Amino acid sequence: MEIFTKLQLPVVEDRLHGPNPAVSLNATYYEGQRVVYGRHSNSTWEALETLIGELEGGTAAAFASGQAAMFASSLLTAGRLVISEDTYVGSRDLADFMVKNHLAQCSYVTEASLRTPTELTGLKEGDVLMLESPSNPLLVTYDIAKLAQACHDRGALLAVDNTVATPILQNPLSLGADIVVHSATKFISGHSDVLAGMVVVADEALAERLFEVRAVVGSVIGPVEAYLCYRGAKTLGVRVKHASESATELANSLVTRMGRDAVCYPGFDEDLVGPGRQQSAGGALLSLILDSAARADRFVSELRVFHHATSLGGVESLAERRSKYSGEERLPSGLVRLSVGLESTADLWADIEHALAAVGV
């Protein structure tokens, strides 16, 4: 099945300035206009929000960072934030921070519970279940449609961090999810030069609440950052296509060399492709598992085309050992996350082969 079915992004035109939105640097507006103050809206944000909203099939709001977007999502209802244990470490840090500072009630669910949605008996009306699919960095995929139904049966909402899959590979709202979150710092902006976040919802009441939360909390994106995000998102489809094809080839080559158990990649999970284009195949992120932290550190140090840095989703390929970070101790000590960029696949594989040979693999 052709998985890159939405490579043509919608064009959001500013009729006065041409195909790119103007960067609106207004902190306030004249009396009588539809916006009173710069914390409530901005025409540059609106261009980005229209574009991402169309890609995800809902109403989008832009935020100052992925963390700000995640925090806003947790405030959309009065219930608990119930978060997957294998979701992004920053999301878990946020949940722990909110509990520690009495800002919200939060609890965790296991991967096993998410695999069997009927076991999510602890969900209550008003709760928000937050998960990431594929998860980062173990790249586990979940059946979003079944989890959405399980949430709705209990009066809860389902929020999906769609950063890794991107709107090109997966549209959680069309699978029944209520909230979609992106760290737009990653694939959406795509050039490692912007901090930004996005939240997308399908329900009008949730959308009103979302914009209210942003205005009151003040976690707004700057207009220049919004413009850079918009510009990066224009090439999202072709970037994801190239990087995913490279990552699939690299993952298969690594399995041939190291064995299936040493490689994490969504394409090896069960097929979950459905009307919402939930994808178990493809994606630009993969992880390989070496037998020790020392060997993983040496492997990363030997890479020359992959850069040793955190983050993902940029045009450059990045590598890092994840378990060295606080909160990631649950991971295999030798797990190396690879974010595949736009370099030649052959060059990337030659780089990996060189580093593996250097560590005796």
Side-chain angles (χ1 to χ4, degrees), residues 111 115 137-141 248 250-271 280 285-290 332 335:
E111 176 185 332
R115 290 283 188 188
L138 293 175
L139 300 167
V140 176
T141 56
T248 299
L250 295 174
N252 287 326
S253 296
L254 281 167
V255 168
T256 299
R257 179 165 180 149
M258 301 176 62
R260 171 67 187 88
D261 291 342
V263 183
C264 303
Y265 189 62
F268 300 134
D269 281 353
E270 64 271 20
D271 186 9
S280 58
L285 209 63
L286 67 143
S287 295
L288 64 94
I289 303 174
L290 299 171
L335 184 145

Side-chain angles (χ1 to χ4, degrees), residues 7 9 168 234-244 342:
L7 299 182
L9 284 91
I168 301 301
K234 281 185 164 183
T235 61
L236 178 62
V238 291
R239 286 188 286 105
V240 169
K241 183 178 189 298
H242 178 93
S244 295
L342 302 186

Side-chain angles (χ1 to χ4, degrees), residues 14 52 65 76 80 111 122 142 159 162 167 192 194 210 212 232 250 266 279 309 322 326 346 351 360:
D14 185 314
I52 301 303
S65 67
L76 293 183
R80 296 174 304 155
E111 176 185 332
Y142 297 105
N162 204 30
S192 304
V194 174
L210 179 62
E212 178 188 23
L250 295 174
Q279 301 295 338
R322 289 297 302 174
S326 175
D351 196 32

Side-chain angles (χ1 to χ4, degrees), residues 83-89 91-92 131-132 136 161 330:
I83 192 166
S84 169
E85 288 182 340
D86 70 341
T87 198
Y88 169 59
V89 64
S91 302
R92 288 182 277 118
L131 61 89
E132 186 179 31
N136 173 14
D161 184 335
R330 67 191 175 87

Side-chain angles (χ1 to χ4, degrees), residues 106-168:
C106 303
S107 62
Y108 287 94
V109 292
T110 64
E111 176 185 332
S113 295
L114 294 174
R115 290 283 188 188
T116 312
T118 54
E119 295 182 4
L120 294 172
T121 55
L123 284 177
K124 298 181 177 65
E125 186 171 353
D127 288 347
V128 177
L129 172 61
M130 169 62 73
L131 61 89
E132 186 179 31
S133 183
S135 63
N136 173 14
L138 293 175
L139 300 167
V140 176
T141 56
Y142 297 105
D143 192 323
I144 292 172
K146 287 184 178 179
L147 286 165
Q149 187 61 56
C151 288
H152 298 160
D153 288 345
R154 295 163 176 81
L157 301 179
L158 177 63
V160 177
D161 184 335
N162 204 30
T163 299
V164 173
T166 81
I168 301 301

